[in-house]
């Protein structure tokens, strides 16, 4: 074993998952129920489904239409 290693030309492992960060947020109960029902249909946890939806929004750079009433 060497005393020192040179990682200057190393590359990041492409197979490692991106890390996730735990957050706390307030979500309306009907929104949670919607995602729970949809998640049950496809067989994934509802948090995973919500994350996939948000990721799709970010990846496709969807713009929000916010209208305060």
């Amino acid at each position: 074993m060497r005393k020192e290693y040179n990682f200057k030309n190393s590359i990041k492992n492409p197979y490692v998952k991106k890390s996730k960060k735990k957050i706390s947020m307030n979500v309306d109960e009907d929104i949670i129920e919607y995602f729970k029902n949809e998640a049950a249909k496809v067989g994934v946890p509802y948090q995973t489904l919500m994350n996939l939806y948000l990721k799709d929004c970010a990846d496709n750079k969807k713009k929000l239409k916010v209208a305060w009433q």
Side-chain angles (χ1 to χ4, degrees):
M1 201 162 158
R2 298 178 184 173
K3 287 186 178 185
E4 286 189 27
Y5 290 88
N6 182 357
F7 295 103
K8 180 179 171 186
N9 296 320
S10 63
I11 59 170
K12 196 173 190 177
N13 185 344
Y15 302 106
V16 173
K17 285 185 175 181
K18 289 184 178 180
S19 63
K20 294 185 179 183
K21 182 175 183 174
K22 284 189 179 234
I23 63 166
S24 178
M25 61 188 249
N26 297 322
V27 180
D28 294 340
E29 286 184 33
D30 56 335
I31 303 300
I32 297 292
E33 280 305 310
Y34 170 80
F35 277 100
K36 282 185 176 182
N37 290 332
E38 293 300 308
K41 292 176 189 175
V42 294
V44 298
Y46 76 95
Q47 297 98 330
T48 301
L49 189 61
M50 291 174 81
N51 188 62
L52 288 170
Y53 182 79
L54 292 170
K55 181 171 177 20
D56 181 61
C57 290
D59 289 348
N60 292 303
K61 297 183 179 14
K62 291 185 180 177
K63 300 296 180 194
L64 298 176
K65 296 177 185 173
V66 179
W68 301 102
Q69 296 179 1

